């Protein structure tokens, strides 16, 4: 019965006419994390453009699988929004069907989702910029701390950044070693734990590529607590250019986060007005060299041994 | 003419009847910063309770004085919200009058505003916990990095944290020294600049109390770049317990940020239902000792000299 009622409510509320009718336009922003810088900066960009256009921004935080079910089952249909922006949030087939029944504009930001228009970075390129920098510096034993949200398996952001690592090593003729990869949920404290794992080997990596700056910051803490030097003993590189990275001298690959929100909102407004907008926008990333990376220092105990 | 129209629209849209009428309840969340952890965590707490109650959350980011004018002049009246939550956002007399003409519930979170119901911490107590800890460790030359948003002069959060510093020193019989206080806008890079100023003296402080962890993190960078040790040469303490603080071993005074959002939303829902809720809620803070503070190390060149 509940399911039937839910489905009915979807069919009963297409909202494409709001814009034309002069009623206030409303955009739902759906986000998995609010207290992380990345998502706050994305929302800041989105909101600045939408507010300027006098559009209402409705915020939906869907933190875990339960939240997501609740959201997809109930909220959008009742609230009569004109468009929906998914921030770093993948959807499964069932959820996609529900979204499409709403008949509203859907946009993805900070990661591609299904076949919806998107604005994001090229995660493979960003990852290559990071790993290629470590290879250029002369590192051959390169570890990876990979981000993985258990509620979002197969998230293309993580997939692209992981592929970049394997491709860069392969091209450099370096065999893959499973023990040099630690996969954890996103978040600084988990980066610290991942680094614990990488250090619990007889020959730890001389450089670590982390999928995000927060993971990299956690890794740096573990390295320093072990009495080792960054970058003297182990180089660390992240992706993001989080505000804290400049303060910690973390070498990273900068992505324009606020701008992704701005462009997504601009394109969404175009589509709502019936104008053309690019469906696939990829903003460029760039290496920012600071002091957490350097060429590897030969270690007396392993010098000359093949890696 | 614009002003008259604006004022008319205010009077024309009191919205107290929405709840009773069964229409969806809508709460406007007004916030000066979205990409800072503090505000993201507050919104996360608010949103979790409001979503559970099936309330729509409309987000308004008002970053500077222009945004604020725009917001207060136009948005609330047109959008017909049932309540408004001010997150760390002071209002002047004119803005207060406009808010009151709307006739909706107003709540402040993360700082007291006018005479609206609020949920926050006691900033004086938090500041005393920080400065008293430095005094207990034996510091007598204590610097302060004070936060000050130029768009929000007289913000009670900064006032309370500043008063705590002066009162603690006074009680300890230590004369105030203007050159030990650096006031900057909130933000890590500005904490670094403030520390530059504190270090440009013949006798810098042996300990620094920063109004926030982000300011403290910036200060630590400057200290380390000067070739000095934290806490060996200079102790640093902040306020917040920002997620990065644990990773950086920063001693701080923890405030429950998400909880402030949760309690504010719960109390707001009570008021919207006509039930009683406390108008003044102060949540406790606590010292979190990590490795950025220690007793002062006697310096050869100043030993024995009165401070």
């Amino acid at each position: 019965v509940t399911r039937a009622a839910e489905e009915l409510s979807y069919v009963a509320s297409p909202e494409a006419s709001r814009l034309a009718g002069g009623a206030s336009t409303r955009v739902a922003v759906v986000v998995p994390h609010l207290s992380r810088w990345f998502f706050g900066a994305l929302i800041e960009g989105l909101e600045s453009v939408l507010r300027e256009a006098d559009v209402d921004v409705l915020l939906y935080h869907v933190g875990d699988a339960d939240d997501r079910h609740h959201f997809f089952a109930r909220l959008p249909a009742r609230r009569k929004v004109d468009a929906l922006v998914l921030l770093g949030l993948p959807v499964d087939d069932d959820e996609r069907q529900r979204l499409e029944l709403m008949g509203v504009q859907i946009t993805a930001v900070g990661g591609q989702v299904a076949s919806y228009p998107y604005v994001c970075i090229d995660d493979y390129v960003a990852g290559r910029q990071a790993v290629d920098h470590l290879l250029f510096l002369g590192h051959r034993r390169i570890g990876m701390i990979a981000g993985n949200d258990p509620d979002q398996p197969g998230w293309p952001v993580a997939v692209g950044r992981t592929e970049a690592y394997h491709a860069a090593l392969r091209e450099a003729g370096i065999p893959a070693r499973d023990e040099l990869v630690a996969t954890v949920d996103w978040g600084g404290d988990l980066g610290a734990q991942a680094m614990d794992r990488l250090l619990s080997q007889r020959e730890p990596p001389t450089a670590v590529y982390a999928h995000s700056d927060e993971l990299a910051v956690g890794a740096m803490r573990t390295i320093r607590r072990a009495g080792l030097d960054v970058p003297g003993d182990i180089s660390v590189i992240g992706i993001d250019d989080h505000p804290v990275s400049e303060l910690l001298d973390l070498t990273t690959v900068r992505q324009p986060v606020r701008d992704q929100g701005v462009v997504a909102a601009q394109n969404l407004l175009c589509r709502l007005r019936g104008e053309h907008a690019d469906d696939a926008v990829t903003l460029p990333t760039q290496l920012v060299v600071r002091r957490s990376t350097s060429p590897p220092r030969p270690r007396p105990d392993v010098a000359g041994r093949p890696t």
Side-chain angles (χ1 to χ4, degrees), chain A:
Chain A
V1 175
T2 311
R3 177 161 307 186
E6 282 172 4
E7 275 165 15
L8 201 64
S9 74
Y10 277 91
V11 179
S13 57
E15 280 296 312
S17 61
R18 288 182 70 92
L19 260 183
S24 60
T25 307
R26 305 207 279 171
V27 172
V29 172
V30 192
V31 57
H33 301 283
L34 277 166
S35 59
R36 288 192 193 161
W37 164 78
F38 177 80
F39 297 96
L42 273 185
I43 298 173
E44 204 167 275
L46 277 167
E47 201 271 355
S48 67
V49 172
L50 297 176
R51 174 168 41 82
E52 193 68 27
D54 224 15
V55 169
D56 276 347
V57 176
L58 279 89
L59 190 66
Y60 296 95
H61 175 232
V62 295
D64 57 22
D66 274 0
D67 284 356
R68 248 164 76 172
H69 176 75
H70 187 266
F71 173 77
F72 282 103
R74 302 172 60 208
L75 285 172
R78 294 203 187 153
R79 289 303 179 261
K80 302 181 176 58
V81 296
D82 303 281
L84 202 137
V85 184
L86 302 171
L87 264 68
L89 191 84
V91 293
D92 64 26
D93 286 347
D94 177 56
E95 292 164 343
R96 210 176 63 231
Q97 282 179 3
R98 289 174 174 272
L99 286 172
E100 277 151 25
L101 277 170
M102 289 174 64
V104 303
Q105 288 286 347
I106 299 169
T107 299
V109 196
Q112 290 183 44
V113 178
S115 57
Y116 305 126
Y118 64 84
V119 178
C120 60
I121 60 168
D122 186 322
D123 291 288
Y124 176 82
V125 168
R128 284 300 298 256
Q129 289 171 323
V131 182
D132 284 344
H133 178 61
L134 298 176
L135 288 166
F136 167 75
L137 289 173
H139 292 279
R140 289 293 173 271
R141 247 188 118 66
I142 299 175
M144 172 167 72
I145 298 179
N148 174 52
D149 187 334
D151 283 324
Q152 310 186 349
W155 178 225
V157 168
V159 172
R161 295 182 191 183
T162 298
E163 279 175 4
Y165 170 78
H166 291 297
L169 293 191
R170 200 165 49 238
E171 287 180 25
I174 299 172
R177 292 169 189 257
D178 288 348
E179 71 272 22
L180 293 183
V181 175
T183 302
V184 287
D185 197 356
W186 306 87
D189 49 335
L190 294 161
Q193 286 175 29
M195 196 66 222
D196 286 337
R197 265 188 265 162
L198 296 181
L199 282 182
S200 67
Q201 319 178 19
R202 206 168 55 84
E203 259 185 71
T206 62
V208 172
Y209 153 60
H211 276 196
S212 77
D213 285 359
E214 279 162 300
L215 291 171
V217 169
M220 288 202 290
R221 184 186 68 165
T222 295
I223 295 168
R224 289 184 173 135
R225 283 203 174 167
L228 299 169
D229 181 56
V230 175
D233 294 300
I234 301 179
S235 289
V236 177
I237 193 167
I239 291 180
D240 271 343
D241 204 22
H242 189 290
V244 88
S245 303
E246 204 252 317
L247 294 172
L248 300 181
D249 277 332
L250 175 67
T251 298
T252 189
V253 174
R254 178 184 297 154
Q255 65 165 318
V257 182
R258 192 178 190 281
D259 288 355
Q260 291 176 64
V262 165
V263 173
Q266 288 167 340
N267 287 355
L268 178 60
L269 291 176
C270 282
R271 281 184 216 107
L272 287 172
R273 286 192 298 257
E275 298 165 11
H276 171 77
D278 278 345
D279 277 351
V281 178
T282 303
L283 297 184
T285 53
Q286 63 177 102
L287 179 68
V288 180
V289 176
R290 296 201 181 99
R291 299 183 197 188
S292 68
T293 44
S294 70
R297 183 158 69 189
R299 298 185 207 176
D301 57 327
V302 299
R305 228 193 287 174
T307 53

